[in-house]
Amino acid sequence: MSITTTRLAAPLALAAALPFLTWCQRPPEPAAPANPTPPPTVVLDSTLNRAALLAALTEAGTALADGQTRNAALTGRTVSVRLPFGCGGETNVIGEAGGLPRLARNEDGSLTLAVTPEDLSASALVPATREGAVDKWEAVEGFWIAQPWSSLDVCPTSAAQPAPAPDPAPSPAQTADKTPAEGKTLEAKTVETVASPPVVQPERSAGLAAVFETGGSRLGRRQGQAYVHVIRGEKSVAPTPAPGGYALRLEGRLTAFADGKAVHCVQKDAESRPVCVAALRLDRLAFEDGATGALLSEWRPR
């Protein structure tokens, strides 16, 4: 081999080996894990509160009034609705108070929190699109959402302060006021003016229909009777209503009516607001302090 050929072959061999040498000097790439970690799963809370439930009921009522169909998938969604009441103290409700929580003052001065479910088993709000569809439910108990135009689940700050507890009845000596007049002693009885609770006529256009299957468990069932909690005073002093009122808590899971929908609405005429209810498997009913949320009493109908 000539000198010229040797001088050319050496640089060419070195140039061909450079990529291999460079690859050998690279740091080794980390090996892929045998079980790669999956991306974090984002869990969305699907529980319907008061605002979300009212939105669903309003949407269903609007669809009915507009002659449209709706395909909202609500069956199976969990519900935890808080319904404030007694925000301004005791109230007198016109007509039947079925399905509405109420605060009342008893003759002995104690306070009663109560709600009596409304029987909806024979109501047009419970559809029967096929023969015997209603028979699967032994009872349908309605609970109405007062002030359905508001999404607040607490008493509004503009609510009037509750009336103070009534004073004990005065003794005969305190009611006798002997004042001399024209040489005679006159006895005048003090007339005490007691403010009557305001009279309200709540709107019933949005609510929940608690359904109970035929042959289902009766444990904790009230069978249409009122859920009642009594608040008594201490040392013969009548209790004062809580400043933030009280709240009724309803929890459960939405189910389907006979037409396959979780919400059913009826409308009397074109000038009337639709009335809508959602079918609920009621798991828990409770009375709470309106401001603090402290539990006062609870029932588990299932």
Side-chain angles (χ1 to χ4, degrees):
M1 180 181 295
S2 65
I3 298 175
T4 303
T5 305
T6 304
R7 289 178 179 177
L8 291 175
L12 290 175
L14 180 60
L18 280 176
F20 178 77
L21 294 175
T22 304
W23 179 83
C24 293
Q25 293 176 355
R26 290 179 180 176
E29 295 182 359
N35 297 319
T37 304
T41 301
V42 179
V43 180
L44 299 178
D45 185 7
S46 62
T47 299
L48 300 177
N49 58 10
R50 175 191 173 100
L53 178 64
L54 283 174
L57 295 175
T58 300
E59 186 271 338
T62 301
L64 174 65
D66 295 344
Q68 300 176 353
T69 58
R70 67 188 191 282
N71 296 313
L74 297 174
T75 302
R77 295 283 296 273
T78 55
V79 172
S80 181
V81 178
R82 195 170 191 262
L83 309 178
F85 68 98
C87 299
E90 309 98 279
T91 56
N92 287 331
V93 179
I94 296 178
E96 296 294 332
L100 286 165
R102 60 190 184 277
L103 171 64
R105 175 78 66 178
N106 303 318
E107 294 182 358
D108 61 357
S110 62
L111 295 171
T112 292
L113 315 180
V115 59
T116 304
E118 181 176 352
D119 185 8
L120 297 180
S121 56
S123 171
L125 287 167
V126 181
T129 57
R130 60 183 186 275
E131 185 177 357
V134 180
D135 295 338
K136 69 176 183 178
W137 290 335
E138 180 179 318
V140 182
E141 300 179 348
F143 297 89
W144 296 105
I145 303 175
Q147 299 180 350
W149 52 85
S150 172
S151 61
L152 289 177
D153 60 2
V154 296
C155 291
T157 55
S158 60
Q161 293 297 321
D167 295 329
S171 63
Q174 293 174 324
T175 58
D177 182 17
K178 296 183 180 181
T179 304
E182 297 180 355
K184 297 181 180 180
T185 301
L186 300 179
E187 182 178 314
K189 294 185 178 179
T190 302
V191 178
E192 183 179 356
T193 302
V194 179
S196 300
V199 178
V200 296
Q201 188 171 8
E203 177 180 332
R204 291 177 171 89
S205 60
L208 288 164
V211 297
F212 300 91
E213 292 184 353
T214 302
S217 172
R218 295 176 177 269
L219 185 64
R221 288 274 304 276
R222 297 290 296 171
Q223 299 297 109
Q225 298 181 359
Y227 297 85
V228 179
H229 176 74
V230 179
I231 302 175
R232 304 186 185 279
E234 298 180 358
K235 299 180 180 179
S236 302
V237 177
T240 300
Y246 302 93
L248 173 67
R249 174 81 68 175
L250 300 173
E251 296 180 345
R253 189 176 298 273
L254 294 183
T255 185
F257 285 110
D259 60 358
K261 302 292 185 180
V263 177
H264 186 69
C265 304
V266 296
Q267 187 178 24
K268 181 179 179 181
D269 51 55
E271 303 300 324
S272 301
R273 180 172 180 169
V275 179
C276 302
V277 295
L280 176 71
R281 294 186 181 276
L282 182 63
D283 294 328
R284 179 175 177 265
L285 182 149
F287 286 119
E288 301 175 349
D289 182 277
T292 65
L295 177 64
L296 301 178
S297 58
E298 69 175 4
W299 295 262
R300 297 184 181 271
R302 297 184 183 279

